[in-house]
Amino acid sequence: MPKKNHSLLTTCYFLLLATFCYLLLATPAKAQDFSLSISPPLLEIMLQPDKSITQAYEVKNEGNQLLYLTAFISPFLPDPQTGKVLYEQNQPSILPQPQFSLNNANLNLGETFILQPNESQQLVLKIKASKNVAEKDYYATLFIAQSVTGRQLLNQTAAQFSGQIGSHLLITVSQAGEFDFIGRIAQFKPLPKIADLGEKINFNLIVANEGQTLFKTNGKIEIFDWLGKKKKEILLRPDNILVDSQRKITCLDEPCYFSSLLPGRYQTMVTIFNPFQSFSSDGGPDTQSTIGDSSEVERSEALSQTISFWIIPFKLILVVIIAIFMGRLVLDRKKKKL
Amino acid sequence: MKKARFVSQSLCLFALLVLAGFSFPRPLDSANLTSASDTLETSRLSFHGKNAEQLTAGTSIIKMATSDTPSTSTANLFTGDTVVYTGTSNTYTVDYIIDSDEFAVTATLDAADDDLNDEFVIDRTGTHTVAFTTTSAIADGAIKIRIKADDTTPNDGHPDNEGWDFNSIAGSDVACPGDVGSYYDFVTATATASGGSGCAAGYHCFECRYSGPGNPGESLSMTIGADPELINPSATSGHSEGTADTYSIIFDNLNSTDTAIDSTTVKVAVIESVRVTATVDPTISFSIAALNVGTTACGNALDVTTTATTVPFGSLSIGAFADLAQNLTVSTNADNGYAVTALENNQMVMVGATAPEIPDTPGDTPAASHTAKDDWDSTTTKGFGYSIENVDATTPAFQYSDSDGDCSGTTYCAKQFADLANSEAHQTIFSSTTVADNQNAYVCYRAIISATQEAGDYWNAITFRATATF
């Protein structure tokens, strides 16, 4: 009997030890993340009516959990004031669009597909402009959305989240591919209009598109001193301005500002080149070095506006006035003492 | 027998004479300059090709010949190279390489440049830095460097396939060695193209005369080319890609009568550069990750661990906020950056019903909406809302610590989620206008209920969208 007990104890001891070891060596639990990528993130195309194109998208599950995903197209319009994206739920009138479908053998838009961790799926999107589609711009986003079916947590209050990743489609339907450049500089002003020496003057630039197709803001801001000599040239970032919208434009490699230690009146000219005009042989439109030179022909095809601002040495003037005032005060006191 | 003896004796005598000749050689008058080298600023071959066919009028794509021309493929072409058509002197910039015999330029070709066999070149110019050590003390002499030249067109300003083109450089483009004490006092250099006065055809000559006694063992150097520089050769006839073409450069130390006393020859090699190409696909990636209980986000220790897909508030209190959070991260190489937006399907509503709801927070003022932020520090303000703590995103829409608008910078500045059921549009929660490498922000969720909130489980669904900006 004692022998039996001893054997039982030994067995229990080994079982306990094995359990302890298992717990020690168990794989650490990892938080489950949603992580998804799509390539390309943006597609800009020009399409003739009654023609179609295909574009392959690569979708990859970068996370550590299996994902149920759905691909769908969501048309959008640009916000007229900011150019930001407004989706269909807020803009129900933007249909009809070109037709979108997937060329994948076993997958259609709106159907769920599964991606294991680190697995990729190629989606071949076909975009077809019907014969009678209106010749204009169409904007949409291809979304890859995480499918969440029902509530995942029971018996408690919770917010349920799903991630979506999107690739914008900027589609221009045109038979001839010829467009007039109808843009407008909606706002171009310096802030402040009168600055001190060395103070930064920011340029606030808003460009509107009143034409039939999107254009990019290829252009520049040039600052000239009172002699008409160019002091600085800042290239604009070539952002897309969608049809019937306007957008605040930023500069390419640096903020849109100017500062100077030389007082005086400065003139600033913004030029946005006609994106539908052919370029000169060096690959870019001609630039001009002074105001009013001979490139009027070139500029007549571009948008341009000139504004002016002043740089005045306020602080220096103040210091001089205070110095004069103090000097006179000291002199007056000395005179009184005498 | 006598004859045989005579022959053998003659042979022995001849052998002895030969041996003596080798044993007592006559002293040489000239010697090699030592440590001689020619360092090229660039060892890339120049390019010399021609149109393979009558090109399409107005094209910007050039199809080049693959035979009967020094350069027979695009292997030595690079984006940004300046192509010069020799017939017209028109220049074009290489935009991209299409394949082994086609490339694109950034502008359309002039009609005078699109004919069959129209020749074009790309000059690769660079300085030659020559260095050597003198062997003898040669008084009032000169250092003369001879660089291999083409026999037919050694100075036409275009690459040649037998040597360097002189490119009309002048003596002022050559830097002589510095003066060395009383031994060497150099004067201004001369540069003479192959076949010119005092320069035999086949080599370009660059000469630095000096006065002084000279000195053995002096390390001297010269730089040939400034503005302009010599043009590197194009590929030789029968050139094999990846195999260098070698040329001779001759160093002479002349005496006062222009006789070479010491001399040496070095070899230099020119070869195609390796064009390294890689394709980086544009992409955007977006991740939502959980944050654990106790982690500090938006100034609060989190009450419950979230997951990537749920924010489980559990049982809500009427007297204390429940604070939870997730970590949202975006990476993109899209030039114009990205935007992350959020939208809820509805206010939090009882499961399986359309009412009652836990309302979106009105804020303490109350002024909070999906577009307006407001302080939310008082537990008497009930509802559900969110805030943001920026980690390294470029532009968060707002932050929990904001002190503008209706937020005073106390502890928690909040907004409502945009509500789809109320036809509200997605709202940007953070964004960037340029490329982003793992930019992230914490999105913090806060909820508190009133004493009259009907018991039950409440939920809603929130969608985060990440898109590239155009």
Side-chain angles (χ1 to χ4, degrees), chain B residues 209-226:
Chain B
R209 296 211 72 84
Y210 61 85
S211 57
N215 189 36
E218 286 295 345
S219 295
L220 303 175
S221 71
M222 287 170 61
T223 304
I224 298 166

Side-chain angles (χ1 to χ4, degrees), chain B residues 83-354:
Chain B
V83 174
V84 183
Y85 270 84
T86 55
T88 59
S89 297
N90 287 336
T91 61
Y92 304 90
T93 304
V94 175
D95 192 8
Y96 56 93
I97 314 301
I98 298 169
D99 55 27
S100 62
D101 66 346
E102 283 186 301
F103 63 97
V105 290
T106 54
T108 53
L109 275 189
D110 189 276
D113 298 326
D114 61 11
D115 298 327
L116 169 70
N117 291 334
D118 278 352
E119 291 187 35
F120 54 87
V121 297
I122 296 167
D123 296 345
R124 268 81 191 237
T125 62
T127 57
H128 290 237
T129 303
V130 296
F132 54 91
T133 302
T134 57
T135 305
S136 315
I138 299 167
D140 301 327
I143 304 297
K144 187 175 187 177
I145 307 298
R146 288 183 283 160
I147 295 178
K148 186 73 180 82
D150 190 67
D151 285 340
T152 50
T153 55
N155 188 19
D156 64 347
H158 294 310
D160 306 315
N161 66 345
E162 291 179 339
W164 278 261
D165 190 90
F166 192 68
N167 203 19
S168 302
I169 74 173
S172 56
D173 296 314
V174 179
C176 285
D179 295 340
V180 183
S182 60
Y183 300 115
Y184 295 96
D185 181 9
F186 287 96
V187 297
T188 308
T190 59
T192 312
S194 167
S197 173
C199 185
Y203 287 88
H204 303 302
C205 303
F206 306 92
E207 192 172 296
C208 289
R209 296 211 72 84
Y210 61 85
S211 57
N215 189 36
E218 286 295 345
S219 295
L220 303 175
S221 71
M222 287 170 61
T223 304
I224 298 166
D227 184 19
E229 297 162 329
L230 295 174
I231 300 172
N232 281 6
S234 55
T236 55
S237 176
H239 171 83
S240 174
E241 274 176 16
T243 305
D245 293 338
T246 54
Y247 292 93
S248 295
I249 311 290
I250 302 168
F251 295 58
D252 293 324
N253 193 349
L254 311 178
N255 65 12
S256 58
T257 59
D258 284 347
T259 304
I261 304 301
D262 294 338
S263 184
T264 197
T265 301
V266 297
K267 297 276 187 187
V268 293
V270 279
I271 193 169
E272 298 92 348
S273 292
V274 177
R275 186 169 64 235
V276 180
T277 60
T279 302
V280 178
D281 291 326
T283 188
I284 182 170
S285 68
F286 176 45
S287 70
I288 304 171
L291 284 179
N292 289 331
V293 61
T295 306
T296 300
C298 300
N300 295 298
L302 303 182
D303 297 311
V304 182
T305 297
T306 55
T307 73
T309 53
T310 55
V311 173
F313 283 106
S315 294
L316 289 170
S317 163
I318 57 171
F321 292 117
D323 287 302
L324 290 81
Q326 288 176 315
N327 182 11
L328 273 59
T329 305
V330 179
S331 294
T332 184
N333 54 5
D335 286 344
N336 286 8
Y338 68 88
V340 175
T341 64
L343 180 74
E344 65 181 7
N345 67 330
N346 200 347
Q347 297 185 86
M348 292 189 93
V349 66
M350 189 176 277
V351 175
T354 54

Side-chain angles (χ1 to χ4, degrees), chain A residues 32 34-39 87 146 151-153 155-162 164-166 168 237 239 247 281, chain B residues 282-288 308-309 311-314 336 351 433 457-462 464-466 468 470:
Chain A
Q32 299 217 311
F34 163 87
S35 186
L36 197 62
S37 69
I38 186 169
S39 173
Y87 282 102
Q146 185 182 18
R151 284 183 66 228
Q152 292 189 338
L153 288 183
N155 304 321
Q156 63 176 316
T157 294
Q160 190 167 290
F161 288 80
S162 66
Q164 297 183 353
I165 194 162
H168 292 309
R237 205 171 81 155
D239 290 332
R247 186 169 177 180
S281 62
Chain B
T283 188
I284 182 170
S285 68
F286 176 45
S287 70
I288 304 171
T309 53
V311 173
F313 283 106
N336 286 8
V351 175
T433 56
D457 295 334
Y458 292 79
W459 81 293
N460 68 356
I462 294 166
F464 289 118
R465 281 179 168 175
F470 43 80

